[in-house]
Amino acid sequence: PAWGTTVDPKTGIRLPDPGEIESAVPDDWNDVENPFDSADQNLFSRLDNLPDSVFYEEPRFVEHVDDNAVKLMTEFISNSIQPGDSVLDLCSSWVSHIDERLAKKMFRISGLGMNAKELESNPVLTDWVVQDLNENPRLSKYADASFDVVLLQLSVDYLTKPLDVFKEVGRILKHGGRVFVLFSNRLFFSKAVAGWTGGDDIDHAFTVGCYLRFCGGGFQNIKAKDLSTRKGGRENRIVNDPLYVVSAVKE
């Protein structure tokens, strides 16, 4: 694991120190080599190689992080979108973590996910589609430059073709549109790709930054932010489930 982390004495989980997530994504990418040019294909392999349609066949009407992280996620997303925006919630489910009062002021909130029952239960979606991005990473149902914001919540670790997916995100975003990739350290381990399970949270922030930088989607101003709640005191450790976001702007 990367330096700049502290082991939680209760859980044994290694968590980033303050500022480390932000520092994981470079301000200047000129000297950063594309880590995927000669990457081992096993980087995107998974322990469970059964089709995702099998894994997601039954709906899961549960949150995948704790209540505090859900609150932080909802606040962040609701503060990052504007009335009149067209929003795409990638890897969507029964909840998009958008304040319902704000959702009514959106032009459009589209959802793309794996389970129809979850998607039809999502109260803020104006339209939705079932699609397995690991089988088909093309977002062909959406026109060029048709969204102001794309969200990807707690699912980037499961993408086996992330560069293809983010290139498509760049295509469907308007000029100046924004993508927000939110993640934690909670996951279905058998479905996460090897390149994710082999790293810590600082590595993950850098990895997502690299996805956006090297996907060919035309992204700039790539930034990472630690949204986690921290306990005061000398160590200022993360309490509850951590939450991070990597964002970028379409050129």
Side-chain angles (χ1 to χ4, degrees):
W3 63 276
T5 59
T6 300
V7 175
D8 186 316
K10 292 183 179 180
T11 65
I13 295 174
R14 188 174 291 276
L15 296 169
D17 294 336
E20 292 296 330
I21 291 295
E22 288 79 359
S23 299
V25 173
D27 293 324
D28 184 356
W29 288 88
N30 289 329
D31 294 328
V32 179
E33 295 184 2
N34 185 343
F36 311 114
D37 269 348
S38 57
D40 189 335
Q41 291 301 310
N42 289 328
L43 193 67
F44 299 110
S45 65
R46 302 182 293 177
L47 292 175
D48 180 357
N49 287 316
L50 288 175
D52 287 342
S53 57
V54 175
F55 187 80
Y56 294 102
E57 184 175 6
E58 294 298 323
R60 293 179 173 87
F61 294 105
V62 295
E63 294 282 6
H64 298 290
V65 287
D66 65 19
D67 290 345
N68 184 65
V70 169
K71 178 177 178 291
L72 293 171
M73 193 156 43
T74 303
E75 289 176 350
F76 176 83
I77 292 172
S78 298
N79 287 328
S80 299
I81 57 178
Q82 303 294 327
D85 277 350
S86 292
V87 179
L88 174 60
D89 185 15
L90 277 183
C91 301
S92 187
S93 64
W94 66 281
V95 61
S96 292
H97 304 108
I98 298 173
D99 181 273
E100 291 192 29
R101 292 169 296 180
L102 178 59
K104 294 177 181 178
K105 301 177 183 180
M106 297 295 107
F107 179 76
R108 174 187 187 187
I109 303 177
S110 302
L112 183 151
M114 287 294 297
N115 186 279
K117 290 182 179 179
E118 290 185 18
L119 293 167
E120 68 184 8
S121 298
N122 188 321
V124 305
L125 297 182
T126 57
D127 58 273
W128 55 268
V129 62
V130 173
Q131 181 176 328
D132 182 351
L133 291 175
N134 289 338
E135 288 291 329
N136 175 20
R138 295 291 305 278
L139 302 176
S140 55
K141 297 185 180 298
Y142 306 116
D144 294 0
S146 55
F147 288 97
D148 301 286
V149 174
V150 173
L151 304 172
L152 179 57
Q153 307 174 55
L154 308 180
S155 296
V156 65
D157 38 346
Y158 305 128
L159 295 179
T160 61
K161 302 172 183 176
L163 298 176
D164 296 330
V165 170
F166 284 115
K167 184 175 182 179
E168 281 287 278
V169 169
R171 178 184 66 79
I172 65 173
L173 274 174
K174 300 174 184 178
H175 173 72
R178 296 152 296 153
V179 57
F180 298 100
V181 183
L182 294 109
F183 60 95
S184 183
N185 63 2
R186 299 281 296 274
L187 73 167
F188 297 116
F189 192 87
S190 65
K191 278 298 183 181
V193 298
W196 192 272
T197 59
D200 63 21
D201 294 345
I202 302 173
D203 299 320
H204 297 157
F206 177 71
T207 295
V208 176
C210 287
Y211 288 165
L212 293 166
R213 170 66 178 175
F214 297 110
C215 69
F219 292 110
Q220 60 183 2
N221 197 28
I222 303 169
K223 301 290 184 183
K225 185 174 179 60
D226 187 345
L227 304 176
S228 311
T229 298
R230 289 183 177 271
K231 182 179 181 180
R234 183 173 59 85
E235 293 184 350
N236 204 16
R237 289 189 291 105
I238 291 175
V239 294
N240 305 111
D241 287 346
L243 184 68
Y244 319 105
V245 61
V246 176
S247 62
V249 178
K250 172 64 185 297
E251 293 177 337

